[in-house]
Amino acid sequence: LRSGRARPASFLRSGRARPASEIGGRLWPRVPVLGTLLAVFICAAVAQALLRERAQNARAAEIQLSWVRSRASLIALHQDRAISSKFVSLGVGDKIAALDAEIHQSLQQLPKGAHVAAVVASVNSFLTAVRELLELVEAGDIEQAKLVDSLKVDLWYEELSSSVDDAVGAQRAIADRTESLTSRGSLAILALACVAIGALLLRFERARAAAASIHRRALEESEARFRTLVQNSDDAIAVVE
């Protein structure tokens, strides 16, 4: 600088060259950090969706089980009327067959499990006993039909009701537990989102401050170089307007 050798204006103004990645790259977090956060949020959202679906399936199973109980009650009502009247009226067989089909259709929509298997077994035994009773009524053997009613139909109906109660309780517990997990998961995701946003803002602010410091230091270096050139140059310097 003291020799008076000409220097490029860009050298005097900017000082040491700064790569763009050194300044601009610090303004934003690295891609792996954002990718990790995005992956966490996606996994949490998928888990929430699966939990909600499980809770909805459990509530639907409760409805289907209640429907099975109501259809079985109607079948028991028809067979009681058959015993009371001592004959099977026209259309009763078709009504019982339709109710039987509705019951099995509902059972097919239930999730697999020990409680549901118990319901299926009791329903099949109950329907078998009802068919036996109706055959005895049609044959005119009312006393034997009453015996089947007390020893088989009533017992299997009570077993059916008990197994349905157990299955409904199990499905309700699953739904309540899953909905509780879903609620806590939503709160956890919200808290995680707040923490992530806070961390990103803090990192951005630090990067912005670092970039401002780099720019300020570069300006100070440029001013120092220019001041040294003016004060120590052997050449004449004039300002021409």
Side-chain angles (χ1 to χ4, degrees):
L1 292 174
R2 290 193 181 95
S3 64
R5 184 167 57 88
R7 300 288 183 175
S10 61
F11 175 81
L12 296 175
R13 288 193 302 269
S14 62
R16 186 175 62 86
R18 303 283 183 175
S21 60
E22 182 178 352
I23 299 175
R26 296 183 181 181
L27 295 178
W28 299 101
R30 295 179 180 179
V31 174
V33 176
L34 294 176
T36 301
L37 290 175
L38 182 60
V40 170
F41 284 126
I42 291 176
C43 292
V46 171
Q48 287 288 94
L50 293 176
L51 288 174
R52 289 193 185 94
E53 183 180 0
R54 185 180 183 186
Q56 291 174 357
N57 291 338
R59 296 302 184 192
E62 288 185 51
I63 296 174
Q64 294 297 331
L65 288 167
S66 299
W67 181 259
V68 168
R69 194 208 310 269
S70 66
R71 301 298 94 180
S73 298
L74 289 176
I75 291 176
L77 179 62
H78 286 303
Q79 62 92 21
D80 286 339
R81 289 178 178 177
I83 293 178
S84 300
S85 60
K86 297 183 180 181
F87 72 94
V88 180
S89 60
L90 295 176
V92 171
D94 295 336
K95 291 179 182 179
I96 292 178
L99 294 171
D100 186 350
E102 291 179 4
I103 288 175
H104 283 88
Q105 183 178 1
S106 297
L107 292 175
Q108 292 176 357
Q109 298 177 8
L110 294 176
K112 304 299 181 182
H115 293 287
V116 175
V119 172
V120 173
S122 60
V123 164
N124 291 332
S125 299
F126 170 73
L127 293 175
T128 300
V130 169
R131 295 189 191 98
E132 181 181 355
L133 182 147
L134 293 177
E135 290 176 356
L136 291 173
V137 173
E138 289 179 347
D141 194 350
I142 304 302
E143 295 300 326
Q144 187 65 25
K146 291 181 179 180
L147 186 62
V148 170
D149 182 34
S150 60
L151 295 180
K152 293 184 178 181
V153 176
D154 290 344
L155 292 179
W156 281 117
Y157 182 77
E158 292 177 0
E159 180 66 22
L160 187 153
S161 298
S162 177
S163 60
V164 167
D165 289 337
D166 293 340
V168 168
Q171 295 301 320
R172 184 177 293 114
I174 291 174
D176 293 341
R177 184 170 60 253
T178 305
E179 289 173 353
S180 177
L181 289 174
T182 303
S183 300
R184 290 198 296 267
S186 299
L187 294 176
I189 291 175
L190 181 60
L192 180 61
C194 293
V195 172
I197 292 173
L200 289 175
L201 291 177
L202 179 60
R203 185 165 182 175
F204 176 79
E205 181 61 25
R206 289 179 177 176
R208 188 188 64 80
S213 177
I214 292 173
H215 283 293
R216 184 174 60 256
R217 189 165 56 250
L219 181 59
E220 292 174 353
E221 291 177 0
S222 178
E223 291 176 351
R225 288 174 183 270
F226 185 75
R227 187 180 303 109
T228 301
L229 174 63
V230 172
Q231 293 176 352
N232 301 312
S233 177
D234 295 331
D235 298 329
I237 300 176
V239 178
V240 179
E241 295 183 358

